[in-house]
C-alpha cells in the first residue's frame, strides 16, 4: 500500500481561496526542506509555524519581496512533480489579500480589473482638471504664457488646490489605515506590536534598504538563475526615492507658501525645484527600468492576474514623473496651463487610487516587516547578514 | 568530464583554471543537472577555528576519528587523511567559485560546528558552479549521456554518446555518480527487495560509466551492497523525493514491520548518529516496509516532513488504517507500554527512559504510547547513493586491476566514494568527496593532458 500515493496535503483543511490552499501546500514542503532559510525573511518566519492558516499565509505572502531566488534555488520547482513555485504563489496570495483588506469593502472589486480601474480614474481626473481649468479661466489665460510668482495660481487658486488635494490625501490615508487594520487583525497581531520603536526601526531599515530584495546576498533573480541580470532593486530605489523627493518638493513648496509667503513657480536653483527635478528623474528612470524588468521576467514566475495592477501602478508613477518634469521644462510657455492641469490630474488620480492599487504593497510589506522584527527578536536570533554568508574567519566567533 | 554534479563541476573549473579546454557531458537536461548534488545542503570540511558560519573548530584528527567510527575502520587511511587535509582549503575554494555559505539550518543544530551549509541549498550551489564554469569558458552539453568508452591498456581514447557522436580527449574525469538509480543492478545484490527501494535522488545515476570502467580493467573498490540508505516516507515518489521525505521521529515511538512486530532498538543512540542505519534495517524486513508508531505527546517534537502522519483514535483503528493486524499491533504496543520504566525524558541526551525485559529493548527515550490520537508514518528504504566504485590514488587517478595507475583516467564523487567510505556515513561527506577529489582530478587531468 501507500507507496504510490504521493499526494501532498497542506496543514489546514479550509482556505478561502485556491491560492491560499496552494500556499499552504508549498509552505508544508518548504518547512520540511528549509534550504532557503538564508534567502529572506519569509522562510525563518515560516519555520516558526507548523500549520498555515489564511492569516499566516497572508503575512508570509506580504513579507515576500518576489526576489525570485527561491524559485531557481529550489530542487523541486517545475518540472519536478512537487511543482514548488513560491514567488508566484505568494504573489497570487498577496494580490488577493489587497482586495480582501480594501476599505470600504464595496471597492474591493477595484482590484479585479485594476489596470482598467486605475486608467479610468486617472483619465477622468485629468479630464476634470482640464475641463475645470477651461471653465474657470478664459482661454486667454489658460493658453497664454504665464510667468512670475503666482503663475500657477492664476489658473487655480492656491487655496482651492490645497483643499482639493488635502481632501483626497485625507481620504486615502483613512482608507489605507483601515486596510492596514484589516491586515493586522487577519494575521493575528496586536496594536502594541506596531508601536514598539525597535521593531519599527528594524522594519524601516529593512524596507528603506530593500534588504530582502537580494536573494540572501547573491542578488535577485528575474530572468533566469543568474542574479547578475537583475537590477530591480536599483530601479525600485530610484522609483521610491524619486517619489519621496517629489513629495519633499511639494511639502517644501507648501511651507514656502504658508510660512514664507513665497509663491510658486520658484527659480530653478530653489529647493522645491531641485528636489522635484531630481525626484522626477528618478520617477522616470525607475519605473521605466521596472517596466523593462517586468517584460523580461521569466514567464514561469509571473502571476498573470496581477499584471494589470502592477503595470497600472508603474505607469501611474511614470506619469507623475513625466508630467512633473514637462511642467518644469515648459512652465514659461503657453503649454503651461494644459500641462499643469494634466499633472494635477495625474497626481489627484494617483491619490484617489492609492488604496486600491499596488501602492498598498508598501504598507503591508512594512507591517509584515514589523512583525518579522518582533518574531526574530523572540528567537534571540539576529537576522542573517550578508557577511555571514562568507566563510571568513571571525575573531569574534572564535569562542 | 562525464557527469554534471559537484564532482564534475569542481573538476571542470579546476582543469580550466589549469589551462585545459574542458567539455562537460551531462546526461540530464539543464533543470535536472547535477542529479544528486541538487538535493544537498551541506559539506563537511575540517577547520582549525570557528568561522562566521561554523560554531567551533573541527580538526583534521577529529574528522578522521569520526570517519573511522562511522566506517568501522573500513576506509583507505592515506586517501582519507589526504581528503580531510584538502577539505580545509575547500571552505575558501568553493566560496571563490561563487558559492555562498550560511550557518546551519533550523533543525540541524547538531551540524553547526562540522558542516558548512550552502545558501539556498545544493541547487543554488550548483547554479553558482555552472555560472563560474561557463564564465571561464568550459563547454557544457546537456542530454549528452555517455554510453560507451574506448579504453586501451589503461588509456582513455574516446567516449560515445547516446546519439552516436564520439568525442576524444587528452584525459577523462569520470564523475557520473554511483549506480543507485539502476534497480536491475541493485537487484543483483538485494534480490526482488530492490523493487521496494525508493531512490532519494536522481534517476540518472545508473552506473553506466562505472560499469564500463570496471569492465575495461579499472580496479573495483567497495562492497556493492554498501550504500547510504535511510528510512523515508513510503509515500515518496520513486525518484527525486529529496530531503523532504525523511523522518526524524523514530526515537519518539516504536517501529514495527508488516507483522506489527518490533525489530530493533529505536533508542539506541542520538538520532543523527542512527539516522543512516534504518534504511538497511527496513530493507531487511518483509516487503521492505515498516511503520513508526507514536502518540499525540510526540507529534510536535520533531521536524515536520512532507506527508502528514496517518492518524486514528485507537491503536487497533490505526492498525486498520495501515493494513496491519489490529490485535497484533495492540499486543506489541501493550507489551512495550508495560515494559517502559519511569525516567526523565530528554531527547537531547541519552536519557534514562528505557524498557525492562523487552526484546528488542528500547534503551533510551522510551515513553508509553497512550495519548490519543495515535499516529503512524509508513517507511521504506530510501537509497541516497551506492559505494561500489573505481579505485583511485591521491591524484584521483584510477588504478587498473593490476595495480598500475591509469594513463589519463581520473574519478571524483560518488563513483569513487567507496575508497573513503567502506560503510556508514557522516553527514556532508558526500560533497567533500566530490569537491576535494573533483578539484584534484581536474588539476591532474589538465596537467596530464598538457604533457
Ligand atoms: C536527498 C539527498 C540529500 C543529500 N544531501 C547531502 C548533503 O547535504 N551533503 C552531502 O555531502 N551529501 C549529500 N547527499 C549526497 C550527495 O548528493 C552526493 O554525494 C554528491 O552530490 C555526489 O556528487 P556527484 O557529482 O558525484 O554526483 P551527482 O551530483 O549525482 O552527479 C552525477 C551526474 O552524472 C550524470 N550522469 C550519470 N550517468 C551519466 C552518463 N552515462 N553520461 C553522462 N552523465 C551521466 C547524472 O546525470 C548526474 O547529474 C545527498 C543526496 C541526496 C539524494
Ligand atoms: S523553495 Fe524549494 S528549496 Fe526552498 S525551502 Fe522551499 S522546497 Fe526547499
Ligand atoms: S523574498 Fe525571494 S526568496 Fe523570499 S520567498 Fe520571496 S521570492 Fe522567495
Amino acid at each position: 500500500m501507500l507507496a504510490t500515493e504521493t499526494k501532498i496535503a497542506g496543514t489546514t483543511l479550509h482556505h478561502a481561496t485556491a491560492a491560499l490552499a496552494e500556499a499552504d501546500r508549498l509552505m508544508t514542503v518548504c518547512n520540511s526542506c528549509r534550504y532557503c532559510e538564508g534567502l529572506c525573511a519569509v522562510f525563518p518566519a515560516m519555520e516558526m509555524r507548523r500549520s498555515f492558516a489564511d492569516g499566516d499565509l497572508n503575512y508570509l505572502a506580504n513579507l515576500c519581496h518576489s526576489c525570485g531566488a527561491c524559485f531557481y534555488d529550489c530542487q523541486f520547482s517545475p518540472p519536478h512533480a512537487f511543482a514548488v513555485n513560491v514567488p508566484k504563489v505568494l504573489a497570487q496570495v498577496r494580490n488577493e489579500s489587497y482586495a480582501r483588506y480594501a476599505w470600504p469593502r464595496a471597492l474591493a472589486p477595484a482590484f479585479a480589473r485594476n489596470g482598467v480601474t486605475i486608467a479610468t480614474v486617472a483619465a477622468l481626473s485629468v479630464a476634470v482638471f482640464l475641463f475645470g481649468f477651461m471653465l474657470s479661466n478664459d482661454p486667454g489665460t489658460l493658453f497664454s504664457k504665464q510667468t512670475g510668482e503666482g503663475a500657477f495660481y492664476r489658473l487655480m487658486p492656491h487655496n482651492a488646490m490645497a483643499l482639493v488635494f488635502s481632501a483626497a490625501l485625507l481620504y486615502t490615508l483613512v482608507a489605507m489605515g483601515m486596510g492596514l487594520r484589516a491586515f493586522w487583525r487577519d494575521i493575528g497581531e496586536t496594536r502594541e506590536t506596531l508601536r514598539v520603536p525597535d521593531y519599527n526601526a528594524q522594519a524601516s531599515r529593512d524596507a528603506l534598504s530593500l534588504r530582502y530584495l537580494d536573494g540572501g546576498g547573491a542578488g535577485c533573480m528575474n530572468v533566469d538563475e543568474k542574479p547578475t541580470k537583475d537590477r530591480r532593486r536599483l530601479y525600485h530605489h530610484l522609483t521610491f526615492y524619486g517619489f519621496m523627493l517629489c513629495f519633499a518638493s511639494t511639502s517644501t513648496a507648501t511651507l514656502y507658501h504658508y510660512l514664507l509667503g513665497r509663491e510658486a513657480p520658484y527659480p530653478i536653483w530653489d529647493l522645491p525645484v531641485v528636489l522635484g527635478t531630481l525626484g522626477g528623474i528618478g520617477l522616470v528612470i525607475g519605473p521605466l527600468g521596472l517596466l523593462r524588468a517586468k517584460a523580461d521576467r521569466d514567464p514561469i514566475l509571473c502571476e498573470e492576474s496581477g499584471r494589470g495592477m502592477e503595470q497600472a501602478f508603474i505607469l501611474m508613477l511614470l506619469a507623475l514623473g513625466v508630467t512633473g518634469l514637462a511642467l518644469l521644462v515648459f512652465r514659461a510657455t503657453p503649454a503651461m496651463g494644459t500641462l499643469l492641469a494634466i499633472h494635477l490630474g495625474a497626481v489627484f488620480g494617483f491619490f484617489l487610487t492609492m488604496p486600491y492599487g499596488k501602492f498598498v504593497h508598501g504598507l503591508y510589506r512594512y507591517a509584515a516587516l514589523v512583525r518579522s522584527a518582533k518574531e526574530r527578536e523572540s528567537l534571540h536570533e539576529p537576522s542573517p547578514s550578508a557577511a555571514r554568508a562568507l566563510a571568513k574567519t571571525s575573531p569574534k566567533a572564535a569562542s | 568530464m562525464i557527469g554534471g554534479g559537484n564532482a564534475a563541476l569542481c573538476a571542470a573549473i579546476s582543469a580550466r583554471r589549469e589551462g585545459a579546454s574542458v567539455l562537460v557531458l551531462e546526461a540530464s537536461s539543464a533543470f535536472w543537472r547535477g542529479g544528486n548534488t541538487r538535493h544537498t545542503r551541506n559539506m563537511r570540511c575540517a577547520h582549525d577555528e570557528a568561522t562566521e558560519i561554523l560554531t567551533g573548530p573541527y580538526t583534521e584528527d577529529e574528522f578522521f576519528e569520526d570517519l573511522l567510527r562511522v566506517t568501522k575502520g573500513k576506509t583507505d587511511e592515506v586517501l582519507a587523511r589526504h581528503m580531510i587535509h584538502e577539505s580545509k582549503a575547500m571552505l575558501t575554494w568553493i566560496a571563490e567559485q561563487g558559492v555562498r555559505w550560511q550557518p546551519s539550518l533550523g533543525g540541524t543544530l547538531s551540524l553547526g560546528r562540522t558542516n558548512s551549509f550552502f545558501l539556498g541549498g545544493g541547487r543554488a550551489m550548483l547554479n553558482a558552479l555552472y555560472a563560474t564554469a561557463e564564465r571561464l569558458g568550459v563547454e557544457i552539453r546537456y542530454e549528452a549521456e555517455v554510453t560507451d568508452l574506448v579504453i586501451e591498456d589503461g588509456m582513455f581514447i574516446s567516449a560515445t554518446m547516446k546519439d552516436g557522436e564520439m568525442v576524444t580527449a587528452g584525459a577523462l574525469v569520470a564523475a557520473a555518480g554511483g549506480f543507485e538509480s539502476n534497480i536491475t543492478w541493485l537487484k543483483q545484490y538485494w534480490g526482488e527487495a530492490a523493487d521496494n527501494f525508493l531512490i532519494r535522488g536522481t534517476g540518472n545515476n545508473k552506473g553506466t560509466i562505472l560499469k564500463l570502467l570496471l569492465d575495461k580493467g579499472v580496479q573495483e573498490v567497495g562492497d556493492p551492497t554498501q550504500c547510504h540508505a535511510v528510512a523515508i516516507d513510503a509515500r515518496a515518489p520513486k525518484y527525486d523525493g529529496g530531503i523532504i521525505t525523511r523522518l526524524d521521529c523514530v526515537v519518539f515511538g516504536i517501529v514495527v514491520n508488516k507483522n506489527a512486530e518490533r525489530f530493533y532498538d529505536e533508542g539506541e543512540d542520538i538520532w543523527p548518529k542512527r539516522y543512516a542505519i534504518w534504511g538497511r534495517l527496513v530493507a531487511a524486513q518483509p516487503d521492505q516496509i515498516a511503520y513508526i508508531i507514536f502518540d499525540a505527546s510526540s507529534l510536535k517534537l520533531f521536524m515536520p516532513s512532507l506527508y502528514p502522519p496517518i492518524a486514528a483514535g485507537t491503536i487497533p483503528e490505526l492498525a486498520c488504517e495501515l493494513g496491519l493486524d489490529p490485535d497484533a499491533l495492540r499486543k506489541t504496543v501493550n507489551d512495550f507500554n508495560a515494559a517502559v520504566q519511569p525516567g526523565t525524558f530528554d531527547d537531547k541526551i541519552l536519557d534514562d527512559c528505557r524498557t525492562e525485559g523487552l526484546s528488542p529493548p528500547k534503551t533510551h527515550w522510551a515513553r508509553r504510547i497512550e495519548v490519543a490520537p495515535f499516529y503512524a508514518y509508513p517507511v521504506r528504504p530510501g537509497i541516497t547513493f551506492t559505494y561500489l566504485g573505481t579505485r583511485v590514488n591521491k591524484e584521483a587517478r584510477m588504478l587498473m586491476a593490476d595495480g598500475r595507475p591509469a594513463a589519463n583516467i581520473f574519478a571524483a564523487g560518488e563513483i569513487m566514494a567507496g575508497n573513503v567510505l567502506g560503510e556508514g556515513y557522516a553527514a556532508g561527506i558526500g560533497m567533500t568527496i566530490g569537491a576535494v577529489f573533483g578539484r584534484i582530478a581536474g588539476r591532474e587531468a589538465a596537467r596530464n593532458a598538457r604533457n
Side-chain angles (χ1 to χ4, degrees), chain A residues 1-10 25 28-39 47 49-50 71-82 215-219 221 225-226 385-399, chain B residues 31-33 38-41 49-53 55 91 95 100-107 118-124 127 131 134 234-237 240-244 246 289 291 299-308 310 321-323 378 380:
Chain A
M1 66 168 293
L2 297 167
T4 49
E5 182 201 317
T6 57
K7 204 173 97 262
I8 312 160
R25 183 185 77 91
T28 309
V29 175
C30 294
N31 207 8
S32 30
C33 169
R34 306 189 169 188
Y35 284 13
C36 292
E37 185 182 294
L39 297 183
E47 286 176 23
R49 298 164 165 79
R50 282 185 85 100
F71 178 79
Y72 297 101
D73 289 356
C74 182
Q75 62 276 28
F76 305 121
S77 51
H80 193 290
F82 292 163
M221 301 172 200
E225 80 281 359
K226 301 207 175 68
S385 71
R388 282 207 300 172
L390 277 173
K392 272 192 304 188
T393 321
S394 131
K396 269 192 316 234
S399 55
Chain B
F31 174 77
W32 297 102
R33 68 191 184 188
R38 57 200 298 292
H39 285 289
T40 65
R41 55 184 184 180
E49 286 172 70
T51 73
E52 295 207 26
I53 57 141
T55 57
L91 286 174
R100 283 164 182 266
W101 299 114
Q102 66 157 65
S104 70
L105 303 174
F118 309 121
L119 181 75
R123 193 170 166 223
N127 287 345
E134 281 167 19
R235 295 164 288 185
D240 278 307
I243 192 83
I244 58 184
R246 75 171 169 334
I289 187 132
Y291 304 88
L299 186 63
K300 295 191 173 161
L301 297 181
F302 51 90
M303 274 268 293
S305 82
L306 183 60
Y307 303 102
I310 294 160
E321 292 279 324
L322 301 172
R380 286 200 184 281

Side-chain angles (χ1 to χ4, degrees), chain B residues 297-416:
Chain B
S297 64
S298 302
L299 186 63
K300 295 191 173 161
L301 297 181
F302 51 90
M303 274 268 293
S305 82
L306 183 60
Y307 303 102
I310 294 160
T314 66
I315 291 288
E317 278 167 33
L318 186 66
C320 292
E321 292 279 324
L322 301 172
L324 301 179
D325 177 354
D327 292 329
L329 186 63
R330 178 163 41 200
K331 179 170 182 326
T332 301
V333 172
N334 286 345
D335 289 352
F336 170 77
N337 285 349
V340 170
Q341 302 299 305
T344 317
F345 179 80
D346 185 345
D347 62 332
K348 304 286 179 294
I349 57 165
L350 294 169
D351 71 1
D352 60 351
C353 297
R354 55 184 187 84
T355 59
E356 186 70 59
L358 191 69
S359 175
K362 184 172 179 186
T363 47
H364 302 282
W365 311 296
R367 290 190 302 169
R368 276 195 281 278
I369 299 173
E370 56 189 3
V371 188
F374 300 96
Y375 296 102
Y377 282 111
V379 291
R380 286 200 184 281
I383 313 295
T384 318
F385 67 96
T386 53
Y387 294 173
L388 176 74
T390 59
R391 190 177 287 282
V392 298
N393 64 16
K394 277 167 70 175
E395 291 176 350
R397 190 187 292 270
M398 289 186 206
L399 299 183
M400 305 306 290
D402 57 12
R404 279 182 308 140
N408 60 351
I409 321 178
F410 303 82
E414 284 177 8
I415 200 169
M416 47 68 66

Side-chain angles (χ1 to χ4, degrees), chain A residues 240-298:
Chain A
F240 176 78
Y241 288 104
F243 182 80
M244 292 317 274
L245 285 174
C246 291
F247 196 70
S249 155
T250 314
S251 308
T252 355
T254 312
L255 292 181
Y256 274 20
H257 188 94
Y258 287 113
L259 294 184
L260 307 180
R262 288 182 51 202
E263 291 202 343
Y266 302 104
I268 307 271
W269 46 261
D270 211 346
L271 201 52
V273 183
V274 174
L275 291 175
T277 312
L278 290 177
I281 293 173
L283 261 188
V284 172
I285 303 177
L288 284 177
L290 288 174
L291 280 176
R292 173 71 198 272
K294 291 242 176 284
D296 288 347
R297 193 161 172 85
D298 187 342

Side-chain angles (χ1 to χ4, degrees), chain A residues 133 136-137 152-163 257:
Chain A
F133 274 30
S136 56
N137 294 291
F152 295 153
Y153 311 125
R154 264 165 250 149
L155 298 167
M156 182 172 184
H158 186 272
N159 286 343
M161 217 186 264
L163 188 72
H257 188 94

Side-chain angles (χ1 to χ4, degrees), chain B residues 394-444:
Chain B
K394 277 167 70 175
E395 291 176 350
R397 190 187 292 270
M398 289 186 206
L399 299 183
M400 305 306 290
D402 57 12
R404 279 182 308 140
N408 60 351
I409 321 178
F410 303 82
E414 284 177 8
I415 200 169
M416 47 68 66
N419 288 274
V420 179
L421 287 173
E423 66 170 82
Y425 191 70
I429 207 169
M431 294 296 277
T432 317
I433 295 172
V436 168
F437 285 103
R439 185 185 179 196
I440 298 174
R443 185 179 63 215
E444 296 302 324

